Each structure stands twice: as structure tokens, then as C-alpha cells.
Amino acid sequence: MFRYGILSTSHFAVTRMIPAIQAGRDTTVLAIASRDGRRASDTARALGVARAYDSYQALLDDPDIDAVYNPLPNHLHVPWSEQAAAAGKHVLCEKPIALDAAQARRLIAAREQNRVLICEAAMVRVQPRWLAVRDLLRHKTIGELRAFVGTFGYRLGSHDNVRYDPAMGGGVLLDTGFYPVTMSRFCFNDEPVAVMARADRDPDRGVDRLTSAILEFAQGHAIFTTGMETFPVQRAQLIGTGGYIEMLNPWNPPGNSPSEIVVNTSPNLEQPTTQNLGFDPVDQYTVLAERFARAAETGGPGPIPLEDSIKNMAVLDALRRSAASGRAEPVG
Ligand SMILES: NC(=O)c1ccc[n+]([C@@H]2O[C@H](COP(=O)([O-])OP(=O)(O)OC[C@H]3O[C@@H](n4cnc5c(N)ncnc54)[C@H](OP(=O)(O)O)[C@@H]3O)[C@@H](O)[C@H]2O)c1
């Protein structure tokens, strides 16, 4: 059994990731740590986790932990991932892996010096539907990919949230703009050369709450809109020279119901003949936890290479520069 330790009682960890790890065939959660010892023990009891610690360092000192899952606020991703690596733990760290590309590069040194696996928890990269989309693209089912269109809107219930704190790496671009950025790079299998973005900011906190962008790839364009004060919606559309692909709930499909990809290669605009490819229910977070564990145990490559996460941060950096300058900005 591969034993994870969880840094914090993060809402996402408690509601989604811990149950997903516990559901893995060969993965389990051995311990949970919180800044508040009472919160750690209450959460551990409620989730059937054997050990609870009143500090993150105490969990890192536990010799029985194989890997740390880091779902801390964004500004703590790199510092605590470095600390965990220094303690000899493999690290599965939440997205975005850092505040910017320069900070993310520090993790290469942490990985090399401590000979551990460090990987961003970009679960969409292991989701079976997205792997199938990539196969369809490779087989030119929709001809040459020319445009990627992504949408991710949601509504935060309260402003009392790490996403409203600029010092913690808040804002919607880093939170959910992350997904169309990483998956457009995945689908084009390339890096954008330049980007443009517009951001609407919270008047009090200054974090972006609605961001829209264009990414210019050699082969085509990606565009996306993401907002954290909108009606909840998730869509992805890939438009090629010989067809298109559409996905509902592309980023967070429910893990307990079937999902599908819609493919249309009929040139008749008014009467499209679509093919619906069905997928069995699958929890993409469990898939990620299992694949990460296997890589850590075998010394194989992580499901999302650190080098790729750094390139992704460079695109997010360029998008923020563009939102500030009002101009197109080169990547890198
Ligand atoms: N992959 C996905 O689908 C997905 C979904 C949601 C979120 N996420 C990622 O998960 C991370 C956490 O998101 P979340 O919504 O779970 O946030 P959250 O509920 O606010 O959890 C963050 C946790 O960090 C700990 N913490 C340590 N220092 C803190 C500080 N100065 N201020 C606030 N909390 C602090 C707290 O736990 P203790 O008090 O117990 O120490 C807190 O519960 C983010 O990086 C986010 O991008 C990923």
C-alpha cells in the first residue's frame, strides 16, 4: 500500500482528494496535518485516517509516509513541497504548482537533490476522456486542430476564501484559467508563442475575478473565459479542418456517472451527424493518485512532468503580463 500524508484540512482535500486516494486499489491516506491539532484529529476521525498531526512538519517527520499531498493555498505550494522533498517524501502538489515559473523552477533542484518525485496534481492530464481526445487528434479524426475554446465559470459562495487573497496567489486565472491553458498546450502538443488577456478585477482585493484570453500557437488559436463570480459552466470545443469535438464538464466530470465526447465530422452545418463516444464512470483524482504512486514506487516519470508544469507557469505568467500591459506578450 502506498501511504499518503495530507498537508492541511483543505476543503478540496477533505471533500474530494482524500476519498479519492482512499478509493485507490493500492493507495491510502495514513495521516493528516493541520495548523490546528484539534481540526486535524476531528478530520482524521471523520475520514477514517489513522494519524493526525498538529503541524505540517510533524507529518513530514513521520517515517511511514511515502508521499505528501500538498493542497495548501497557492503561495505555499513551493515552500512546503521543498520542505517535504527535503524530508525525503515524494510530493503530489496541487495546481498551479507555483506562483510563477521562476518559483516553480526551484522544484527541479528539490527533486534532483533529494531524489524524489514531484508532480503537479493536474488531474485533467490523466482523465481518460482527454487521453481519448489526444488520440483522436493524433489520428486526424477532425483533420488539423485549428482552435481550442474553453470555458470555466463558477461562483464562490463567500469572499472569505484564499482565491480572494492576492498574497496567496488568488484570482481566477491561476485557479481555473489553469485548465484551458494546460489542456490547449496538451492538445496542440506545443507552446504558444504569444498571448493576450483581459482581466476584470475585484475592486477591493485586486484579484482577477473574470479573465479571458487568446493563446497563439503555430498551428492555431486557443481562447478561453474563466470567472469565479459567474453561473457555473464548463465546456471545451476543439475545432479542426475536418470536424470538431465537444465536451461537457471537461475539467470536473462527476466521478460516478458516465461521460462522453461528441465528435462531428459532417460538413452539413444545419444537420450535423454527431458520434457520441461514451466513457464509464471514473474518478480522475483516483487515477491520478494511483498513477503518481506507481511512478514513485518504480522510479518512473510522473504523470505530469515537472518540466511541463514549469512551461505552463510561463504561459500563465505571460497572460498576467498581458492583462497588465494591455498588449500581446511573448511567452517565456
Ligand atoms: N485539482 C482540483 O480539482 C482542485 C480543486 C479545488 C482546489 N484545488 C487546489 O487546492 C488548493 C486548496 O484549495 P481549497 O479550496 O481546498 O482551499 P482551502 O479550503 O482554503 O484550504 C487550504 C488549507 O490550507 C491551510 N492553510 C495553511 N496556511 C493557510 C493560510 N495562511 N490561510 C489559509 N489556509 C491556510 C488550511 O488548513 P489547516 O488550517 O488545516 O492547516 C486550509 O484549510 C489550491 O491550490 C487549489 O488550487 C484543486
Side-chain angles (χ1 to χ4, degrees):
M1 222 10 125
F2 188 84
R3 294 156 302 188
Y4 281 92
I6 313 295
L7 291 186
S8 88
T9 56
S10 120
H11 176 74
F12 174 72
V14 167
T15 55
R16 293 302 314 273
M17 195 64 187
I18 293 175
I21 295 171
Q22 290 171 324
R25 274 186 304 274
D26 49 8
T27 58
T28 190
V29 175
L30 180 63
I32 183 161
S34 171
R35 295 168 300 173
D36 178 325
R38 181 72 185 271
R39 198 156 54 232
S41 49
D42 286 352
T43 306
R45 198 173 316 109
L47 292 171
V49 172
R51 302 180 191 177
Y53 292 108
D54 63 2
S55 78
Y56 302 152
Q57 187 59 49
L59 183 144
L60 300 187
D61 293 338
D62 182 336
D64 297 331
I65 302 284
D66 298 309
V68 160
Y69 167 64
N70 178 352
L72 292 167
N74 297 341
H75 70 303
L76 298 177
H77 285 178
V78 168
W80 276 103
S81 294
E82 286 177 322
Q83 198 104 331
K89 307 300 184 194
H90 302 293
V91 184
L92 179 61
C93 178
E94 263 311 331
K95 40 60 57 177
I97 199 150
L99 293 175
D100 54 39
Q103 195 196 31
R105 277 185 213 105
R106 283 169 34 191
L107 295 175
I108 299 275
R111 180 187 69 185
E112 304 304 320
Q113 281 161 16
N114 300 293
R115 296 168 190 250
V116 293
L117 181 63
I118 302 180
C119 179
E120 186 176 49
M123 73 296 176
V124 277
R125 288 291 188 107
V126 300
Q127 188 194 116
R129 273 192 314 169
W130 279 110
L131 300 182
V133 165
R134 191 175 56 182
D135 282 346
L136 292 171
L137 294 172
R138 282 182 179 153
H139 289 104
K140 308 283 182 205
T141 306
I142 61 164
E144 298 297 333
L145 178 63
R146 296 285 289 144
F148 179 108
V149 181
T151 313
F152 197 152
Y154 64 101
R155 196 192 306 279
L156 280 177
S158 152
H159 282 215
D160 181 21
N161 188 291
V162 292
R163 290 161 185 79
Y164 277 96
D165 191 332
M168 292 193 192
V172 76
L173 173 65
L174 286 190
D175 193 37
T176 47
F178 171 89
Y179 293 107
V181 170
T182 193
M183 295 319 283
S184 60
R185 294 175 50 253
F186 180 80
C187 289
F188 279 115
N189 194 24
D190 200 2
E191 300 304 320
V193 288
V195 300
M196 261 192 102
R198 284 285 183 278
D200 169 62
R201 297 185 178 281
D202 179 85
D204 300 324
R205 311 298 302 277
V207 296
D208 63 308
R209 57 187 179 181
L210 177 70
T211 288
S212 305
I214 306 177
L215 282 60
E216 184 187 342
F217 291 85
Q219 194 185 320
H221 294 167
I223 64 172
F224 72 82
T225 292
T226 188
M228 62 186 188
E229 295 180 7
T230 72
F231 196 78
V233 59
Q234 298 191 7
R235 293 283 186 282
Q237 191 177 43
L238 287 78
I239 307 166
T241 52
Y244 65 80
I245 296 171
E246 287 192 292
M247 287 163 79
L248 296 183
N249 289 333
W251 328 115
N252 299 116
N256 55 4
S257 54
S259 57
E260 62 181 24
I261 296 173
V262 178
V263 183
N264 177 34
T265 52
S266 152
N268 187 335
L269 189 62
E270 286 167 11
Q271 285 181 316
T273 47
T274 55
Q275 191 192 353
N276 293 35
L277 307 179
F279 292 80
D280 290 336
V282 63
D283 187 328
Q284 59 184 340
Y285 301 106
T286 299
V287 176
L288 176 66
E290 288 179 336
R291 281 196 50 185
F292 175 84
R294 215 166 304 133
E297 281 173 334
T298 59
I304 301 99
L306 199 43
E307 286 73 5
D308 188 280
S309 300
I310 293 168
K311 287 181 185 161
N312 202 63
M313 285 305 323
V315 179
L316 291 165
D317 290 351
L319 286 165
R320 279 182 293 181
R321 282 200 304 275
S322 173
S325 71
R327 292 189 303 269
E329 294 283 345
V331 175

